[in-house]
Amino acid sequence: MTDAGNFAYSLRDVMVVFADGALARVAETIDTELTVSRIFLVSTPGRADVVAELRATMGDRVAGSFAGGRLHVPTTVVADALALVRASGADCIMAIGGGSAIGLGKALVKETGHPLVAVPSTYSGSEMTDIWGVTDGTRKVTGRDPRVAPRLVVYDPALTHTMPASVTGPSGMNAIAHAVEALYSIAVSPVASLLAAEGMRRLATALPLLADQPGDRGARSEAMLGAHLCGRALDMTSMGLHHKLCHVLGGILGLPHALTHAVVLPYVTAYNAAAAPGAMATIANVLGASNAVRGLCELNRRLNITQTLTDLGMRPGDVDRVVEEAMKMSYPNPSPVTADGVRSILGQAMRGDRPG
């Protein structure tokens, strides 16, 4: 038996409900868990239909709605939604959708102090963290604040049943990125490691099934549970170079969030491999691969995620700007973060080189 070592972690006051059909009972769940009366709904345009359905079923409990959430949460969008929230008299925010919608909900809660209800419809994992982020112009600003974390999270796997494979794979790899960084975080604990490994295992099993059969409901539930566990693991630990670099790429270049995570993940993992052998062994074991980097690459290929950063829109002239912005930030990472190291990662990911 090995020594458990020394560790510490905290748990927030959050209620999690996971069930098919949970969205239909969300009003009753809110009444059970929160003392609120008027709810403001936010989403992206792609989930406007769900917002309309909730407005119809919840009646005058809905104070207003905003379906204009956008990728990377621009501050201009936050300002537009905030004006509507304040005019509505709402005392609760409900965000329905992926990371863009939940990120907007967090930004609104940060300004208003209202409790946040999160109803995720992708595998972003944002609903389980106190991490917020907004984009001001071309700069993405992120932080951690327990006040923005959802007080109630309602998982209804039925919301993911129509997600196409082209969205499912990258979204799932985004969740796996949470687990990878949690495993080599300086704040890792045995509890976070268990959550990260189990979340990754469930996703690595479910995502290939969904690549072939997007309507597999059992795999949908498994993937959503896996994403929940990965998000919980990240919340208990800290972000490193991978997340920070993806945030910079999103803020400066507007690259698609989940696909950027999927493309960059094997390269940053290779960069950190020698400094985090225990995490690498866990990842390789969970993925059934000879090493962690190869396992991540193989999973990307299995999910038809073959894009390079060049495919996503990055150009050689963008490299210096991205490196400069990444080096402005301070964050813990297993391997020291250097300008040359970041430049190497970006070059490999733009060319699609074999990582490592």
Side-chain angles (χ1 to χ4, degrees):
M1 182 178 294
T2 59
D3 185 355
N6 302 316
F7 64 92
Y9 68 88
S10 62
L11 294 175
R12 286 191 314 278
D13 180 16
V14 56
M15 178 66 182
V16 175
V17 176
F18 191 109
D20 276 310
L23 184 62
R25 303 185 296 275
V26 69
E28 292 88 340
T29 305
I30 290 172
D31 287 341
T32 300
E33 300 300 329
L34 302 173
T35 306
V36 298
S37 58
R38 301 275 285 160
I39 301 161
F40 192 94
L41 309 176
V42 298
S43 76
T44 57
R47 286 297 177 179
D49 58 335
V50 181
V51 169
E53 180 182 338
L54 286 169
R55 292 203 69 146
T57 58
M58 296 174 68
D60 59 9
R61 293 292 304 278
V62 177
S65 63
F66 179 83
R70 284 171 46 198
L71 189 67
H72 304 304
V73 195
T75 53
T76 53
V77 172
V78 176
D80 291 344
L82 183 60
L84 294 175
V85 171
R86 286 177 168 160
S88 73
D91 58 0
C92 178
I93 307 293
M94 183 191 300
I96 306 103
S100 297
I102 294 171
L104 174 58
K106 288 180 175 181
L108 296 173
V109 168
K110 188 170 182 287
E111 296 296 326
T112 64
H114 298 336
L116 176 62
V117 177
V119 184
S121 64
T122 69
Y123 308 132
S124 77
S126 177
E127 69 279 356
M128 290 312 303
T129 77
D130 62 1
I131 301 167
W132 59 270
V134 297
T135 301
D136 188 359
T138 60
R139 186 164 186 264
K140 187 161 187 177
V141 181
T142 63
R144 302 192 79 144
D145 186 338
R147 294 173 298 177
V148 309
R151 293 277 306 282
L152 171 63
V153 180
V154 177
Y155 289 99
D156 188 341
L159 287 173
T160 69
H161 288 173
T162 58
M163 193 191 309
S166 60
V167 176
T168 296
S171 182
M173 291 305 295
N174 183 9
I176 285 175
H178 302 334
V180 170
E181 291 230 299
L183 285 166
Y184 60 56
S185 167
I186 61 169
V188 71
S189 70
V191 179
S193 292
L194 285 170
L195 292 171
E198 180 63 11
M200 189 186 305
R201 184 187 69 77
R202 288 178 182 270
L203 281 160
T205 301
L207 292 175
L209 295 175
L210 293 170
D212 299 330
Q213 297 289 335
D216 187 322
R217 297 190 174 194
R220 286 289 175 195
S221 292
E222 281 292 294
M224 183 163 263
L225 177 54
H228 164 69
L229 296 173
C230 292
R232 185 51 131 170
L234 182 65
D235 185 56
M236 295 171 65
T237 54
S238 60
M239 295 186 295
L241 174 60
H242 172 79
H243 277 79
K244 296 299 185 180
L245 187 54
C246 289
H247 290 164
V248 172
L249 289 166
I252 291 179
L253 305 179
L255 301 190
H257 183 75
L259 268 173
T260 301
H261 273 280
V263 170
V264 171
L265 183 59
Y267 296 99
V268 178
T269 303
Y271 183 81
N272 284 323
M280 297 302 128
T282 297
I283 296 165
N285 181 61
V286 169
L287 298 180
S290 58
N291 65 65
V293 176
R294 187 167 300 165
L296 293 170
C297 289
E298 289 174 353
L299 186 54
N300 266 346
R301 283 193 292 270
R302 177 68 178 84
L303 301 178
N304 298 312
I305 301 172
T306 58
Q307 292 94 336
T308 64
L309 287 180
T310 301
D311 294 326
L312 300 186
M314 188 174 181
R315 298 293 176 258
D318 299 323
V319 172
D320 286 344
R321 281 195 301 155
V322 173
V323 171
E324 180 182 1
E325 189 65 26
M327 294 307 296
K328 289 179 181 178
M329 303 179 183
S330 175
Y331 39 84
N333 192 69
S335 293
V337 178
T338 66
D340 285 344
V342 175
R343 186 172 282 106
S344 176
I345 290 169
L346 294 173
Q348 292 179 67
M350 288 180 69
R351 295 186 300 268
D353 294 348
R354 183 174 178 175

Short mmCIF file of all heavy atoms in Angstrom, two decimals, residues 131 142-144 181 185 234 237-244 247 331-333:
data_model
loop_
_atom_site.label_atom_id
_atom_site.label_comp_id
_atom_site.label_asym_id
_atom_site.label_seq_id
_atom_site.Cartn_x
_atom_site.Cartn_y
_atom_site.Cartn_z
N ILE A 131 -14.58 28.99 -12.37
CA ILE A 131 -13.73 29.68 -13.33
C ILE A 131 -14.62 30.51 -14.26
O ILE A 131 -15.58 29.99 -14.85
CB ILE A 131 -12.91 28.67 -14.16
CG1 ILE A 131 -12.03 27.82 -13.23
CG2 ILE A 131 -12.06 29.39 -15.20
CD1 ILE A 131 -11.44 26.60 -13.91
N THR A 142 -9.52 35.71 -17.60
CA THR A 142 -10.13 34.64 -16.81
C THR A 142 -9.78 34.81 -15.34
O THR A 142 -8.83 35.51 -14.98
CB THR A 142 -9.68 33.25 -17.27
OG1 THR A 142 -8.26 33.14 -17.09
CG2 THR A 142 -10.01 33.03 -18.74
N GLY A 143 -10.54 34.17 -14.49
CA GLY A 143 -10.26 34.20 -13.06
C GLY A 143 -11.09 33.15 -12.35
O GLY A 143 -11.86 32.41 -12.97
N ARG A 144 -10.92 33.09 -11.05
CA ARG A 144 -11.69 32.17 -10.22
C ARG A 144 -12.36 32.97 -9.13
O ARG A 144 -11.76 33.85 -8.51
CB ARG A 144 -10.80 31.08 -9.62
CG ARG A 144 -10.05 30.26 -10.66
CD ARG A 144 -9.42 29.01 -10.08
NE ARG A 144 -10.42 27.97 -9.91
CZ ARG A 144 -10.18 26.67 -10.09
NH1 ARG A 144 -8.98 26.25 -10.43
NH2 ARG A 144 -11.13 25.77 -9.91
N GLU A 181 -5.22 18.12 -17.05
CA GLU A 181 -4.58 19.17 -16.26
C GLU A 181 -4.80 18.97 -14.76
O GLU A 181 -3.93 19.31 -13.95
CB GLU A 181 -5.05 20.54 -16.71
CG GLU A 181 -4.55 20.91 -18.08
CD GLU A 181 -3.91 22.29 -18.15
OE1 GLU A 181 -4.61 23.27 -17.88
OE2 GLU A 181 -2.71 22.36 -18.48
N SER A 185 -1.80 18.81 -11.88
CA SER A 185 -1.85 20.08 -11.16
C SER A 185 -1.04 20.03 -9.87
O SER A 185 -0.94 18.97 -9.22
CB SER A 185 -3.31 20.41 -10.82
OG SER A 185 -3.39 21.46 -9.88
N LEU A 234 -11.26 19.38 -12.22
CA LEU A 234 -10.58 20.65 -12.50
C LEU A 234 -10.91 21.70 -11.46
O LEU A 234 -10.05 22.48 -11.04
CB LEU A 234 -10.99 21.16 -13.90
CG LEU A 234 -10.31 22.46 -14.32
CD1 LEU A 234 -8.81 22.27 -14.48
CD2 LEU A 234 -10.92 22.99 -15.62
N THR A 237 -8.71 21.55 -8.50
CA THR A 237 -7.26 21.68 -8.72
C THR A 237 -6.96 23.05 -9.34
O THR A 237 -7.38 24.07 -8.82
CB THR A 237 -6.76 20.53 -9.59
OG1 THR A 237 -7.52 20.45 -10.81
CG2 THR A 237 -6.88 19.20 -8.86
N SER A 238 -6.21 23.07 -10.43
CA SER A 238 -5.85 24.34 -11.06
C SER A 238 -5.56 24.12 -12.53
O SER A 238 -5.27 23.01 -12.97
CB SER A 238 -4.62 24.94 -10.37
OG SER A 238 -3.51 24.06 -10.47
N MET A 239 -5.63 25.20 -13.29
CA MET A 239 -5.33 25.15 -14.72
C MET A 239 -3.85 25.40 -14.95
O MET A 239 -3.21 26.16 -14.22
CB MET A 239 -6.15 26.19 -15.47
CG MET A 239 -7.64 25.97 -15.44
SD MET A 239 -8.55 27.15 -16.49
CE MET A 239 -8.21 28.69 -15.63
N GLY A 240 -3.30 24.78 -16.00
CA GLY A 240 -1.91 25.00 -16.37
C GLY A 240 -1.80 25.56 -17.77
O GLY A 240 -2.71 26.24 -18.27
N LEU A 241 -0.68 25.28 -18.43
CA LEU A 241 -0.38 25.86 -19.73
C LEU A 241 -1.45 25.54 -20.77
O LEU A 241 -1.79 26.39 -21.59
CB LEU A 241 0.99 25.35 -20.20
CG LEU A 241 1.41 25.75 -21.62
CD1 LEU A 241 1.48 27.26 -21.77
CD2 LEU A 241 2.75 25.11 -21.98
N HIS A 242 -1.97 24.32 -20.76
CA HIS A 242 -2.93 23.96 -21.80
C HIS A 242 -4.12 24.91 -21.82
O HIS A 242 -4.47 25.49 -22.86
CB HIS A 242 -3.42 22.52 -21.61
CG HIS A 242 -4.54 22.19 -22.55
ND1 HIS A 242 -4.34 21.88 -23.87
CD2 HIS A 242 -5.89 22.18 -22.36
CE1 HIS A 242 -5.50 21.69 -24.46
NE2 HIS A 242 -6.46 21.87 -23.56
N HIS A 243 -4.80 25.07 -20.68
CA HIS A 243 -5.98 25.93 -20.64
C HIS A 243 -5.62 27.38 -20.93
O HIS A 243 -6.36 28.08 -21.64
CB HIS A 243 -6.68 25.80 -19.29
CG HIS A 243 -7.59 24.63 -19.19
ND1 HIS A 243 -7.11 23.36 -18.96
CD2 HIS A 243 -8.93 24.52 -19.33
CE1 HIS A 243 -8.15 22.51 -18.93
NE2 HIS A 243 -9.25 23.19 -19.17
N LYS A 244 -4.53 27.84 -20.37
CA LYS A 244 -4.15 29.24 -20.58
C LYS A 244 -3.85 29.51 -22.05
O LYS A 244 -4.24 30.55 -22.60
CB LYS A 244 -2.94 29.59 -19.72
CG LYS A 244 -3.20 29.51 -18.22
CD LYS A 244 -4.29 30.48 -17.78
CE LYS A 244 -4.45 30.47 -16.26
NZ LYS A 244 -5.52 31.40 -15.80
N HIS A 247 -7.05 29.64 -24.00
CA HIS A 247 -7.75 30.90 -23.76
C HIS A 247 -7.15 32.03 -24.58
O HIS A 247 -7.87 32.88 -25.13
CB HIS A 247 -7.70 31.25 -22.28
CG HIS A 247 -8.52 30.35 -21.42
ND1 HIS A 247 -8.39 30.27 -20.04
CD2 HIS A 247 -9.50 29.45 -21.73
CE1 HIS A 247 -9.23 29.39 -19.56
NE2 HIS A 247 -9.92 28.88 -20.56
N TYR A 331 1.04 31.08 -14.09
CA TYR A 331 0.23 29.93 -13.72
C TYR A 331 1.14 28.75 -13.47
O TYR A 331 2.22 28.63 -14.06
CB TYR A 331 -0.77 29.60 -14.83
CG TYR A 331 -0.22 29.74 -16.22
CD1 TYR A 331 0.51 28.73 -16.82
CD2 TYR A 331 -0.43 30.92 -16.94
CE1 TYR A 331 1.03 28.86 -18.09
CE2 TYR A 331 0.09 31.07 -18.22
CZ TYR A 331 0.82 30.04 -18.78
OH TYR A 331 1.34 30.18 -20.04
N PRO A 332 0.73 27.86 -12.57
CA PRO A 332 1.54 26.68 -12.28
C PRO A 332 1.48 25.68 -13.43
O PRO A 332 0.43 25.49 -14.06
CB PRO A 332 0.90 26.11 -11.01
CG PRO A 332 -0.53 26.56 -11.09
CD PRO A 332 -0.51 27.90 -11.76
N ASN A 333 2.60 25.05 -13.72
CA ASN A 333 2.67 24.07 -14.80
C ASN A 333 3.82 23.12 -14.49
O ASN A 333 4.85 23.55 -13.97
CB ASN A 333 2.92 24.78 -16.13
CG ASN A 333 2.71 23.86 -17.31
OD1 ASN A 333 1.59 23.45 -17.61
ND2 ASN A 333 3.79 23.54 -18.00
#
